[in-house]
Amino acid sequence: MCPCGRPAYEDCCGSLHGGKAAADPEALMRSRFSAYALDRVDYVLATWHPQTRPATLETDPGVRWTRLEVLGHSGGGVFDAEGTVEFRAHFTDGGRTGVMTEKSRFVRHDGRWVYWGPL
């Protein structure tokens, strides 16, 4: 099972973590969630637009990302320069559950989808 909720990691986020370009913003968002769940900070930073990317990213070892819900998306088609994805990311922190909701903006940069930031 892939951390993003799809059946097989290797056929889903694993191929993107291995270097394959995301087909659309939702695929990139799913792969970024999985990267957080797997503590792949390198991937999270590499898929962040250089204008908005932080210099470093530190994860909290007490936070465990447990489930993803995609609520909706717009744009992100073959001829689009940007798209959005709204999602809920479920987590546990010190044994307590929580939910983070975000509507994210994704843009094309050097021919690949990258995360711009929250809207």
Side-chain angles (χ1 to χ4, degrees):
M1 180 70 117
C2 187
C4 81
R6 297 241 164 111
Y9 171 74
E10 287 306 319
D11 296 334
C12 187
C13 297
S15 64
L16 301 181
H17 293 170
K20 181 180 175 186
D24 54 46
E26 182 179 338
L28 181 62
M29 189 275 308
R30 286 180 172 281
S31 71
R32 287 172 56 83
F33 173 85
S34 292
Y36 276 107
L38 299 170
D39 202 26
R40 295 277 319 265
V41 174
D42 59 329
Y43 181 82
V44 173
L45 288 171
T47 58
W48 209 314
H49 194 282
Q51 287 184 317
T52 60
R53 177 177 49 222
T56 61
L57 182 64
E58 294 191 27
T59 58
D60 184 338
V63 174
R64 183 171 171 261
W65 296 98
T66 58
R67 185 166 62 96
L68 176 67
E69 291 178 86
V70 176
L71 304 175
H73 64 275
S74 65
V78 175
F79 300 109
D80 292 328
E82 63 181 72
T84 64
V85 180
E86 186 172 3
F87 65 92
R88 282 189 197 116
H90 298 258
F91 62 90
T92 59
D93 184 0
R96 292 187 300 196
T97 61
V99 178
M100 182 195 91
T101 302
E102 181 176 300
K103 186 171 187 178
S104 301
R105 178 179 176 211
F106 296 86
V107 298
R108 289 191 194 267
H109 178 73
D110 292 338
R112 296 174 75 105
W113 288 106
V114 293
Y115 174 75
W116 179 267
L119 289 176

